[in-house]
Amino acid sequence: AGHGYAGVRVDIRGSGESDGVLSDEYSQQELDDGVEVIAWIARQSWCSGAVGMMGISWGGFNGLQIAALRPPALKAIVTICSTDDRYRDDVHFMGGALLTAKFGWASVFQLFMAHPPDPVLVGDRWRRMWLERIDAAPLFLAQWLRHQRRDAYWKHGSVCEDYGAIACAVLAVGGWTDGYTNAIPRLLAGLSAPRLGLIGPWAHRYPHFASPEPRIGFLQEALRWWDRWLKGIDNGVMDEPMLRTWIMDSVRPAAWHEERPGRWVGEPAWPPVAVPRRLFLTGEGLRAAPGEDVALTVRTPQSLGAAGGSWCPFGVGPDDADDQRDDDALSLVFDTEVLESAVEILGAPVLEIDVAADRSPAVLVARLCDVHPDGASLRVSYGVLNLTHRDGHEVPKPVVPGQVMQVRLQLNDAGFRFPAGHRIRVALSTTYWPMIWPGPDAATVTVFAGSGVLLLPERAGAEGATPVLPEAVTAAPARSTVLREGQSSRTAGWDDDTGERYFRFSDTPSVVRIDDIGIELENEGGGEFGIRDDDPLSARAELRRVNTVSRGEWRVRTEFVMRFSASRDAFHVQAVLSAFDDAVLIRRREWDETIPRDLM
């Protein structure tokens, strides 16, 4: 406000204090409402008629999706940690394989959409609105699982279907530790509207308080953007490189880093004009020239992937990838010789190789690692491909056992510098638990090395000066009091009786009071993933979350418990949503859903 801007925060229909019910993520109703809200803002006496949109995660998705509808008053957006492709790069699928991260998001989403509105703001009708929301809610996870290929359901809201629909200016922001960064290079390459990209080392947070550091003055950067596109001030913001990004240096592997050393670089255009470095997969490792034809097989234990971390780290605890040595030891590994000079990459590594499999479906996971002289293995990037999706995600094709397939496996974009004295490693596996849900059978994949190639997006150097970004600043947060400090724990181990590998997580109750409005928020949760190395059908997931909201004598609680498993032919979801007014159970919804597997 001190810079002449009005900020408007909107509760989506059916959430917060808004009326109605919410049927799904990014519904057409939601987007139409967004267009109407923008038109309302533009009509107000305090508005110049120029409107911008900014948000992170869901809010970042919204900015892109509503921009594609071209509301006349929308002149610019800032989209943070978002995606242009809801199937290819979101919490639901990766490479045509099922991400278990969607289970956690489904439980959070289901519970948050069952929150009541605030009686202080909506009056006595709060209880009726609350029950209406609970009664109307579908089981969101089952709804998503009914679309296992890239059909019209996922194309809706995926702006990559028509980049040309976006005419307003776009500032796309993300971090290498986040799960959504791949969209930024695609947006820069696909959009024709004015656009800039900014990628730091960060996880799923705003850049002025994100980890790993360094943080930046994101608010100052946003202000420059708004001044240019909402006030028409020619302040030189569009003279910046199209992409400003942090090239990360090598560090010791760890599940959490307070800081990632490196440096800022600028790319004047995207994609850059560069010839990728070709490293061939041979019987001797990664080499600069093809080797003799050799067939190598890989079938990894179902529990491989313990060091994989979260699909989308938040940078507030040990949720990033740890030392990969144990997983590497169980994988099919290709190493370079010791590097004589540093190799710097920026972009998406790609693996092009011939493979065959003895089962359908079958999954191939590729990890790109920086191997230290003592053997420590730092994951730089990774990619997943369900081989039934080898020719695209819209019409998967069964794998014919033994038939040779040419596949292209694109890994996540990365900005990284492999130092001299280290090795570059590609590690291939057929499993990645608990990040990827396994197929119905333990598949063996044959890799035909010799001519298979890793295409590394080697960076030759950028033109112009190194970007200089402002120091992070922020206003004081709303006053709050921590009444109870919660504790988080993450444990992994083996059950000697069942032979199961388990992953357990628990967040004990935390209670925070927002002082200015007297609301107290209590959150707790937990869950467990389990699998036996000899049986992919033993995979299971159980999650529980509880949220309590109170003010004085008013106290409401919602609980959600979900169990997920699979048979050879179907996925199975059981869930219970319970709502309590004080200590009285006023609603209980139960679901028991079976969804056929679709080559997954």
Side-chain angles (χ1 to χ4, degrees), residues 111 114-116 126-127 130-131 134 544-550 553-561 576-589:
L111 198 61
H115 268 195
W126 72 269
R127 204 168 188 269
W130 185 27
L131 295 178
I134 294 171
R544 175 178 178 269
R545 294 196 65 87
V546 182
N547 286 354
T548 304
V549 184
S550 60
E553 296 183 355
W554 179 67
R555 181 180 177 87
V556 294
R557 185 172 86 253
T558 47
E559 300 180 359
F560 185 67
V561 179
V576 178
L577 174 66
S578 304
F580 298 84
D581 187 352
D582 199 1
V584 179
L585 176 67
I586 63 165
R587 256 328 172 263
R588 181 181 172 92
R589 296 282 311 278

Side-chain angles (χ1 to χ4, degrees), residues 1-6 219-220 223-224 226-227 231 233 473:
H3 295 281
Y5 291 98
L219 299 181
Q220 300 97 300
L223 180 61
R224 292 179 67 208
W226 302 131
D227 282 350
K231 291 184 177 179
I233 299 172
V473 297

Side-chain angles (χ1 to χ4, degrees), residues 2 129 150-151 162 209 214 233 282 427 432 456 578:
M129 292 173 65
R150 195 175 185 279
D151 57 13
D162 181 10
F209 55 80
I233 299 172
T282 75
Y432 210 40
L456 278 181
S578 304

Side-chain angles (χ1 to χ4, degrees), residues 114-163:
H115 268 195
D118 188 341
V120 169
L121 298 179
V122 302
D124 292 340
R125 64 194 183 106
W126 72 269
R127 204 168 188 269
R128 174 174 55 80
M129 292 173 65
W130 185 27
L131 295 178
E132 181 183 24
R133 292 175 184 181
I134 294 171
D135 292 343
L139 182 61
F140 293 108
L141 179 58
Q143 190 162 280
W144 301 333
L145 280 169
R146 293 189 182 96
H147 303 273
Q148 296 168 44
R149 56 182 70 187
R150 195 175 185 279
D151 57 13
Y153 179 85
W154 300 111
K155 291 178 183 179
H156 166 77
S158 293
V159 300
C160 63
E161 291 295 300
D162 181 10
Y163 289 119

Side-chain angles (χ1 to χ4, degrees), residues 468-528:
V468 177
L469 287 122
E471 294 294 320
V473 297
T474 185
R479 291 189 304 115
S480 62
T481 302
V482 177
L483 303 177
R484 185 191 305 155
E485 192 79 53
Q487 298 293 327
S488 295
S489 65
R490 304 289 185 269
T491 58
W494 293 94
D495 187 315
D496 293 334
D497 294 330
T498 64
E500 183 184 63
R501 173 72 160 170
Y502 63 79
F503 298 85
R504 295 171 182 157
F505 54 96
S506 175
D507 299 316
T508 60
S510 64
V511 184
V512 176
R513 182 178 65 232
I514 303 174
D515 295 333
D516 290 346
I517 59 175
I519 283 280
E520 294 183 10
L521 305 173
E522 181 176 339
N523 296 288
E524 62 177 300
E528 181 171 300

